[in-house]
Amino acid sequence: MKFKTLIIAALVTLAGSSCDTKKFLDINTNPNQLPTSLPNYVFTNALNQTATNIAGNTNGQGSNELGFYWSGQWSQGNGYIITTTQFAYQFTNGDFNYWDTYYDNLEDYQFVINNADANNQKFLKGPAKVMKAMLYQQLVDLYGNIPYTDALKAAAVLAPKFDDQKAVYAALITSLDEAIVDLKANPFTGGFGTSDIAFGGNITKWVQFANSLKMRILIRQSKVAGLESYIKTEINKIVTEGSGFITGYDASIGGPSFFQPAAGQLNPVYDRWGYDATGAKRALNNYPRPTKFLIDGLKAAGDTLRLKRIAYATGGENSNTPGVSTKAEIAANYAGTPFGASSGYLPANTSSVGPSLLVKGDYNRPYIIMTASEVQFLLAEAKQRYADVTLPNTAKAYFEEGIVQSFRVLGANTAGAAAFKGSKIENYDFDSSTDKLAAIAIQKWIALTNFSGLEAWAEYRRTNLPVTPQSIQVPDTKRPTRLFYPNTEGGSNSANVTAQGTIDVFATKLFWDVD
């Protein structure tokens, strides 16, 4: 495993007693001593790096981006040569290396946990443990078996063994329980809340986020034989804990108090797909395109309010009126790109990623890592599958609230969600939908669009829904089920990588992918 020397720069945007900038101007230091940093600085930097690892930036692709493609939500604009690694599935262990950046990020959170007590910053241990759990969950969903119990031990373990993916998932539930105990026992003090660019030191929101992650991890396993009793018990424990889930707001990183109009300091999505610090359009602005399947489905259901937030009309954003399409925002002016199409779908005649994600000048919006809408659909599935869990509402109520929260996070008028109640539209009207679990899965897929591509791909693999078209670049029905272990890990930890056996990325499924 790749280990890095921990050198974290002071973040000049932090203020208050948590950040003594004079220490960073002190020239009377020993040049032969390695630099160190306080946990609060490392934690802020770690959160920012998490956002970049998931979103990507001008330096490269994030894990969410690949998920948007492989879940069938986005395709590639035809102003570029088609990328065969993504759209013909011609990738190797040299492609899609999210492993190294994730483990580097995990080391930062481990540094915070290891050094919080000694620096009187115990309040950072709980949040760091929550973030660790989220990253490990995503690593499992990308790679399967991963180093966990032997990981993050620096030089003490240079070749960590791999843990069984199912055991890692179970350990993450325990880790989140421990994080909640730490959170409740150690509220933020003084001005240190400024170091928390996720929830501003709000412990209740951190606990609700931890509970929401637990629901994601539990429901991801809902089709695995023999786990029903365990899952129901753990859900009931969340209810008993009493703090609830993220509701009416989203887990996000950064925002106006952190992202700045300067190179390298923009919201990472804005930086990659939108504009630079001066407002000049990025070369990649025309690259991601909502798929024909996505846009046609929204139009067929009359779901035009969300359509206009998920995508811009053909011709893209009006440079003189940020956030508004150049063409009239009527359904006829929205056109998707077939997944994997390499010609015939240029920027002028196809829709681009919309104002829910990109608006010129909106460089400092928070980067969302989990939506309240996703949580409502997790609760809907839990109640639909396990009628006897102690969740207080019905599956229908959670389902309908999931649509409301989807409207909200997209920036659409939430009153529009009510139009689907009693509409008789399959997978929109809960009562008339013939397969309730399918309706939940399809609405979750819509709600994850533009926000959580990695989750959308994981849910697609778990549920096989919605039934999206195969890439035009692929002559058969095979689709990726996971990624290869990267060649960097194969080089530094070869025996343990080899011990995982031969990986077939089209047939070696993760433990929760049982269909």
Side-chain angles (χ1 to χ4, degrees):
M1 179 181 293
K2 181 172 178 260
F3 291 95
K4 66 178 184 178
T5 303
L6 185 63
I7 303 176
I8 306 296
L11 298 176
V12 297
T13 55
L14 296 180
S17 62
S18 62
C19 306
D20 185 356
T21 56
K22 292 181 180 179
K23 292 181 180 179
F24 296 95
L25 300 175
D26 187 356
I27 62 173
N28 297 312
T29 57
N30 182 354
N32 297 315
Q33 182 176 345
L34 287 173
T36 59
S37 185
L38 292 172
N40 55 301
Y41 290 123
V42 178
F43 183 67
T44 305
N45 185 74
L47 287 171
N48 184 43
Q49 192 59 48
T50 294
T52 301
N53 289 347
I54 297 173
N57 60 11
T58 53
N59 295 322
Q61 181 185 90
S63 55
N64 255 351
E65 183 184 334
L66 184 66
F68 289 132
Y69 299 136
W70 286 358
S71 65
Q73 295 173 342
W74 288 5
S75 189
Q76 176 185 323
N78 287 178
Y80 308 83
I81 297 173
I82 198 77
T83 302
T84 57
T85 54
Q86 291 173 163
F87 300 103
Y89 310 142
Q90 295 173 359
F91 61 99
T92 70
N93 62 1
D95 300 302
F96 309 131
N97 182 0
Y98 308 114
W99 182 282
D100 291 348
T101 54
Y102 267 59
Y103 272 107
D104 280 355
N105 198 197
L106 283 164
E107 286 189 30
D108 291 342
Y109 290 119
Q110 190 62 50
F111 175 91
V112 172
I113 294 166
N114 292 346
N115 292 277
D117 286 352
N119 288 278
N120 295 316
Q121 296 181 5
K122 292 182 179 181
F123 45 80
L124 293 176
K125 290 198 300 184
K129 288 179 180 179
V130 174
M131 296 306 297
K132 273 184 61 181
M134 186 191 80
L135 295 183
Y136 271 125
Q137 170 248 315
Q138 293 183 357
L139 279 168
V140 169
D141 292 352
L142 288 165
Y143 297 101
N145 297 343
I146 58 170
Y148 181 74
T149 55
D150 269 1
L152 313 183
K153 295 183 178 179
V157 183
L158 294 177
K161 69 177 179 65
F162 283 51
D163 292 88
D164 177 77
Q165 54 195 288
K166 185 176 179 180
V168 174
Y169 253 47
L172 295 181
I173 296 296
T174 301
S175 176
L176 286 166
D177 286 339
E178 294 171 356
I180 290 171
V181 171
D182 280 333
L183 285 162
K184 290 181 174 181
N186 301 292
F188 279 76
T189 59
F192 283 102
T194 59
S195 63
D196 175 12
I197 58 171
F199 297 119
N202 187 315
I203 292 300
T204 298
K205 288 186 176 182
W206 273 109
V207 175
Q208 291 172 341
F209 180 41
N211 284 335
S212 301
L213 287 174
K214 287 172 69 176
M215 284 299 302
R216 175 191 284 176
I217 293 167
L218 292 168
I219 295 302
R220 186 61 45 76
Q221 304 173 82
S222 62
K223 299 177 80 173
V224 179
L227 290 185
E228 179 175 330
S229 178
Y230 162 75
I231 292 171
K232 290 196 294 185
T233 297
E234 291 297 328
I235 292 173
N236 289 340
K237 282 170 57 179
I238 297 173
V239 176
T240 300
E241 187 278 323
S243 297
F245 308 90
I246 58 174
T247 305
Y249 70 94
D250 311 292
S252 59
I253 292 171
S257 64
F258 185 77
F259 296 127
Q260 301 295 319
Q265 298 180 44
L266 308 169
N267 170 293
V269 169
Y270 188 89
D271 196 23
R272 180 163 176 79
W273 302 119
Y275 304 85
D276 66 17
T278 69
K281 186 178 288 189
R282 289 292 190 195
L284 287 177
N285 182 259
N286 288 324
Y287 190 96
R289 318 300 285 182
T291 60
K292 186 177 187 300
F293 178 84
L294 170 65
I295 287 182
D296 286 357
L298 293 171
K299 289 164 70 171
D303 196 352
T304 54
L305 291 178
R306 285 195 290 183
L307 169 64
K308 295 172 186 178
R309 301 298 301 173
I310 287 172
Y312 284 110
T314 56
E317 182 181 15
N318 187 329
S319 60
N320 296 318
T321 312
V324 178
S325 301
T326 299
K327 291 185 179 180
E329 293 181 345
I330 57 175
N333 285 340
Y334 289 81
T337 301
F339 185 60
S342 60
S343 63
Y345 296 90
L346 294 171
N349 58 27
T350 57
S351 292
S352 56
V353 175
S356 61
L357 200 61
L358 290 174
V359 174
K360 184 179 180 181
D362 197 3
Y363 58 83
N364 62 357
R365 67 169 64 180
Y367 180 70
I368 293 173
I369 56 175
M370 188 177 199
T371 66
S373 179
E374 177 192 344
V375 177
Q376 292 299 308
F377 289 120
L378 290 169
L379 296 171
E381 181 171 350
K383 196 66 175 181
Q384 184 64 28
R385 285 187 180 276
Y386 316 117
D388 56 339
V389 293
T390 55
L391 291 167
N393 294 329
T394 63
K396 176 183 176 180
Y398 290 125
F399 174 86
E400 291 177 347
E401 183 61 19
I403 296 177
V404 170
Q405 291 302 316
S406 174
F407 271 65
R408 178 196 57 78
V409 72
L410 285 167
N413 187 338
T414 56
F420 297 112
K421 297 179 181 179
S423 66
K424 308 298 182 183
I425 300 174
E426 184 74 7
N427 302 320
Y428 276 79
D429 178 9
F430 192 79
D431 287 334
S432 66
S433 294
T434 54
D435 185 332
K436 311 299 187 191
L437 289 174
I440 293 166
I442 289 169
Q443 281 302 319
K444 186 195 288 187
W445 181 85
I446 295 171
L448 292 170
T449 303
N450 287 4
F451 298 112
S452 299
L454 183 53
E455 284 304 305
W457 181 43
E459 285 295 275
Y460 171 78
R461 287 176 284 163
R462 179 177 74 96
T463 66
N464 300 311
L465 293 168
V467 182
T468 59
Q470 174 66 295
S471 171
I472 291 173
Q473 303 297 316
V474 180
D476 54 38
T477 61
K478 291 182 180 178
R479 301 196 191 199
T481 58
R482 53 161 294 155
L483 300 181
F484 290 110
Y485 293 114
N487 53 19
T488 52
E489 186 71 6
S492 63
N493 194 13
S494 59
N496 285 307
V497 171
T498 301
Q500 306 314 305
T502 300
I503 302 299
D504 182 339
V505 294
F506 300 106
T508 307
K509 294 185 175 184
L510 302 186
F511 82 100
W512 44 255
D513 184 4
V514 299
D515 292 336

